[in-house]
Every structure is written in C-alpha cells, then in structure tokens.
C-alpha cells in the first residue's frame, strides 16, 4: 500500500474552468463574479443575513472581534482546546482570554461551566464547533442573552453542519468559517464571516474593505468612496473564490463522500471501541455533523505516541491535534483558565486524527483500520 497522506486538498474538477473564467473576466482582485457567487451560496446554505468571503478564517475572527467592539481589558470566554486564531483575534484587540474546560464526549466547550467564568468585564462567548459537531447552542445563547453578551461562533470546521436543523455559524451574532486546504471545502487559504444581525452588516462591509465605504460606492449609494472606519485588507482574491465556488456550488458532492468515509471508519472501528481499546467520536442527537475529521482516542499520551509512530511506519499520515492554548507561553500571558482543567489537557493527549479527505478510497480505509488493529494485536 502506497503512503496515505493525512490530507489532500479537495478538487472536484471544475476549479480550473472557473479560475480561467475569472482570468478572462479581467477581474482577479476580489468582489467579482465568484466572490459574489460564494457569498450568495453561503447565505443560501446557512440562512445567514449576510455572508462575506474573507482571506482566511483568522481574518473572519478578527473582523468579528472588531464588530463586537472588543476593547482593552474586556474578557472573552472560549475553550482552550482550539486553534490559536480563536484567541489571537481578541488578544489583538486587547482582550483577556478566559479559558473554560471542554466536555469529554464532543471536545466542545462545556456549556455548564461558562456562567461561572463570567465577570463584569466579559464581552463575548466564543464556542468552537470541534470536528464539525455543534456546541450546546441553546444553553450558550440563553446564558449570553441573560448577561447581555455576544456569541461569536468559531465554525471553522463546521461548514455544512447543523445544530437542531440550524446551520452552525448562523446561530450566534457572528459565525466564522475557514476554507484552508485542510477543510472540507477549500480555496487554499480563505474564510468567511456570517453576520446574523442586520445592525452589523454595513460596518462589516466597511471593515472588510480597509475601512472604506467602497461597497456602497460600487452599488451607487455614494458618488465617491473614502476612509470612514478602521479596517484591513480582508477581501479574498477572485481566483481563490473561483476555486472555492466549484466545490460549494453543489456542496453535497464533497459532503456525501466525506460522510461515507466517516461512516466506514466508524463501522470498522466499532469492534475495537466495543472492546474498550479505543474511543470513537460521539455525535449528540441534536447535531448533524459534516465529517470534518475522524479521530480515535487512546488510553494516554504514551499509547497515543506509539500509535502515531506505528501508523507512520506503515505509510499512514496520522496526527494529533491542538496543544491546549492555556498551557502555551502566549496563553499564559494573554489568558487564564477558569476552574479546573479536568478534561482539556487529558483529552488533548489521547486523540489521533486519521486520514480524511475527499476521494479517500475504501481499500485505503480498510488498510488503515487493519494497521490500527495490528497495533492492539
């Protein structure tokens, strides 16, 4: 069996055609045909009031932090088990990050621990939908409403995933997607912000266009455009949008393929899970996941390390995931952990992510599972 990489960026076949069309349109800097198509498609997929393609998921989070008017001294609550961008976006605005423990079943923020982390400085809650499995959003939104806090969904891994039938990213005040090459739908680097409250739409357009009212100018609402607010260059290239649109034009092509892979892993690994050798992902009944990743959990860090070495020795690209942010140098500087770290570190040291990408062949999945079984035999 040839080497099986951890990830291959998605490519369904129309990407070249659409990129060529963008080039022939003589519009490659952004906000052309494919940018507009991507925005409209994301609004259709999510039911969000406004979707704006950005240069990255990080950029989407930074825009959300500006729109939320995060100021120096504010506090923002989030899990420690997440990518650094989740925290950085708010640290850049001067906020203190308050980390909360995760649930051991979904690896999402433990909604029962959020309220005790709230202080008079708290400005926002940032739930992270790990592996495309929704956080307990009813509880989180109810807490936020009672304390007059904003909810900013880090839905980087959750495009085309749902909580109680509602698209992840469309439930809070803002939602942030990523289209990095490791995500289900990709433009290489890219992201999007979903604006779910009308009052923020106009300012979001301004922030994304370097603080100018350029969008209003192109719609003919002003006769010239000028600098009106703070902002940055968050507008994605039209070439990247053309690549992305080929995939989200019919999102079920990739989604169905990934779900088939996820379900095959789950079926083949269930006997090992039933014996207690590994733990496999848990999907709450109210959640519809998008097969962003398939992972197994081992007994501890030592066994996890040996499993990854065993898989790599057999040509399989398996990886662990985040080092909890609160244990990092910057995390200790810019944040604090509220309460007990009962599960965040422990669970982070057990997880092994298996190869997962569009077009992963069935025989390769069978081989991967065979090698995992060999480890225990």
């Amino acid at each position: 069996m040839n080497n099986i990489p951890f990830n291959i960026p998605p490519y369904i076949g129309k990407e070249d055609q659409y990129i060529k069309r963008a080039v022939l349109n003589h519009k490659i800097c952004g906000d052309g045909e494919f940018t507009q198509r991507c925005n409209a498609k994301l609004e259709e997929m999510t039911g969000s009031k406004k979707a704006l393609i950005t240069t990255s998921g990080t950029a989407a989070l930074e825009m959300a932090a500006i729109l939320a008017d995060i100021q120096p001294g504010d506090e923002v609550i989030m899990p420690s088990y997440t990518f650094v961008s989740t925290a950085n976006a708010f640290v850049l605005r001067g906020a203190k990050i308050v980390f909360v423990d995760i649930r051991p079943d979904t690896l999402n923020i433990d909604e029962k621990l959020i309220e005790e982390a709230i202080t008079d400085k708290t400005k926002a809650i940032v739930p992270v939908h790990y592996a495309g499995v929704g956080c307990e959003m009813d509880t989180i939104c109810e807490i936020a409403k009672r304390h007059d806090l904003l909810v900013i969904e880090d839905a980087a891994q959750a495009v085309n995933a749902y909580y109680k039938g509602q698209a992840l990213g469309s439930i809070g005040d803002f939602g942030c997607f990523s289209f990095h090459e490791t995500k289900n739908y990709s433009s290489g680097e890219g992201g999007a912000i979903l604006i779910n409250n009308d009052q923020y739409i106009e300012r979001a357009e301004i922030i994304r266009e370097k603080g100018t009212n350029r969008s209003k100018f192109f719609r003919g609402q002003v006769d010239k455009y000028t600098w009106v607010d703070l902002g940055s260059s968050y507008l994605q290239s039209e070439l990247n949008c053309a690549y992305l649109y080929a995939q989200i034009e019919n999102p079920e092509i990739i989604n169905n393929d990934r779900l088939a892979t996820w379900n095959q892993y789950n079926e083949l690994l269930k006997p090992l899970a039933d014996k207690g050798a590994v733990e496999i992902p848990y999907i709450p009944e109210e959640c519809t996941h998008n097969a962003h990743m398939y992972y197994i959990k081992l007994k501890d860090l030592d066994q996890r390390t040996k499993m990854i070495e065993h898989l790599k020795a057999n040509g399989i690209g398996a990886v662990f995931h985040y080092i909890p942010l609160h244990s990092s140098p910057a995390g200790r500087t810019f944040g604090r952990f509220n309460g007990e770290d009962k599960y965040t570190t422990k669970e982070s040291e057990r997880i092994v992510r298996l190869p997962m990408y569009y077009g992963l062949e069935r025989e390769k999945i069978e081989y991967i599972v065979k090698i995992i079984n060999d480890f225990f035999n």
Side-chain angles (χ1 to χ4, degrees):
M1 178 72 64
N2 292 331
N3 281 0
I4 303 172
F6 170 69
N7 176 68
I8 295 176
Y11 175 85
I12 66 164
K14 287 186 174 180
E15 288 86 348
D16 309 71
Q17 172 190 334
Y18 288 173
I19 289 171
K20 183 177 180 181
R21 193 157 100 199
V23 172
L24 293 176
N25 285 343
H26 305 299
K27 176 68 175 173
I28 62 172
C29 69
D31 252 356
E33 174 192 356
F34 289 103
T35 307
Q36 299 302 328
R37 282 174 177 259
C38 284
N39 290 342
K41 186 64 182 182
L42 291 173
E43 289 164 13
E44 176 194 315
M45 289 169 66
T46 63
S48 179
K49 293 181 184 298
K50 188 70 175 178
L52 294 170
I53 290 286
T54 61
T55 48
S56 64
T58 301
L61 285 159
E62 289 179 9
M63 282 187 62
I66 296 170
L67 288 163
D69 194 31
I70 301 297
Q71 297 292 326
D74 288 343
E75 293 182 351
V76 177
I77 295 170
M78 66 182 65
S80 173
Y81 191 62
T82 183
F83 189 57
V84 63
S85 295
T86 315
N88 250 341
F90 303 94
V91 170
L92 283 167
R93 306 292 305 152
K96 187 81 169 180
I97 307 302
V98 179
F99 298 113
V100 170
D101 206 11
I102 58 172
R103 294 169 41 158
D105 55 358
T106 60
L107 307 182
N108 284 332
I109 191 168
D110 189 333
E111 67 281 356
K112 299 186 298 298
L113 302 177
I114 291 173
E115 196 148 24
E116 65 189 45
I118 295 172
T119 72
D120 58 0
K121 297 178 180 178
T122 307
K123 194 73 169 282
I125 303 168
V126 185
V128 179
H129 303 303
Y130 187 73
V133 177
C135 296
E136 179 43 57
M137 290 305 294
D138 282 354
T139 302
I140 292 169
C141 289
E142 188 271 329
I143 291 169
K145 186 175 181 182
R146 257 191 298 115
H147 292 273
D148 194 25
L149 303 175
L150 291 168
V151 175
I152 300 167
E153 295 176 76
D154 184 338
Q157 302 174 2
V159 181
N160 212 19
Y162 300 83
Y163 169 82
K164 295 187 176 179
Q166 190 169 354
L168 297 179
S170 73
I171 303 168
D173 296 280
F174 310 105
C176 301
F177 286 160
S178 172
F179 299 113
H180 183 264
E181 72 166 37
T182 56
K183 300 302 190 290
N184 296 29
Y185 309 97
S186 175
S187 55
E189 287 282 3
I193 183 168
L194 304 183
I195 314 295
N196 304 317
N197 187 325
D198 288 326
Q199 74 182 69
Y200 296 107
I201 292 175
E202 182 175 332
R203 190 168 188 228
E205 290 183 332
I206 289 167
I207 290 166
R208 178 169 167 261
E209 284 278 17
K210 309 168 189 70
T212 72
N213 57 354
R214 185 170 177 267
S215 292
K216 293 180 79 171
F217 170 73
F218 281 117
R219 288 196 295 265
Q221 294 170 298
V222 292
D223 59 0
K224 57 183 178 294
Y225 73 87
T226 187
W227 183 20
V228 295
D229 199 351
L230 55 80
S232 191
S233 186
Y234 293 129
L235 182 62
Q236 175 74 291
S237 157
E238 183 72 359
L239 300 179
N240 295 72
C241 290
Y243 190 96
L244 175 64
Y245 186 69
Q247 297 160 34
I248 64 171
E249 184 177 28
N250 182 356
E252 295 312 308
I253 293 173
I254 287 175
N255 195 54
N256 291 340
D257 179 89
R258 292 182 72 106
L259 284 170
T261 294
W262 194 98
N263 289 331
Q264 187 183 349
Y265 270 134
N266 213 48
E267 179 187 340
L268 295 176
L269 286 163
K270 191 174 184 301
L272 268 184
D274 290 343
K275 289 192 292 187
V278 300
E279 288 182 34
I280 56 179
Y282 166 73
I283 311 296
E285 187 178 342
E286 64 271 18
C287 295
T288 304
H289 72 101
N290 62 353
H292 173 65
M293 73 172 79
Y294 197 92
Y295 61 81
I296 55 175
K297 288 197 279 186
L298 282 300
K299 183 177 67 177
D300 54 26
L301 178 59
D302 181 60
Q303 191 182 52
R304 193 268 297 276
T305 301
K306 290 174 180 172
M307 172 63 83
I308 291 176
E309 289 172 353
H310 172 73
L311 290 165
K312 287 186 175 178
N314 286 277
I316 298 165
V319 299
F320 57 86
H321 213 180
Y322 311 124
I323 305 295
L325 295 183
H326 76 278
S327 59
S328 68
R332 290 192 292 271
T333 300
F334 300 119
R336 61 180 170 82
F337 199 98
N338 192 79
E340 181 189 359
D341 172 11
K342 188 174 180 182
Y343 295 113
T344 299
T345 298
K346 177 185 170 187
E347 297 302 312
S348 74
E349 292 178 345
R350 300 173 60 209
I351 193 167
V352 176
R353 299 176 66 197
L354 302 179
M356 169 64 82
Y357 51 85
Y358 173 68
L360 180 57
E361 298 92 337
R362 182 174 181 86
E363 60 269 21
K364 289 184 178 177
I365 300 166
E366 291 171 347
Y367 172 72
I368 293 164
V369 174
K370 174 190 177 299
I371 297 302
I372 292 171
N373 275 288
D374 289 349
F375 176 85
F376 292 103
N377 293 334

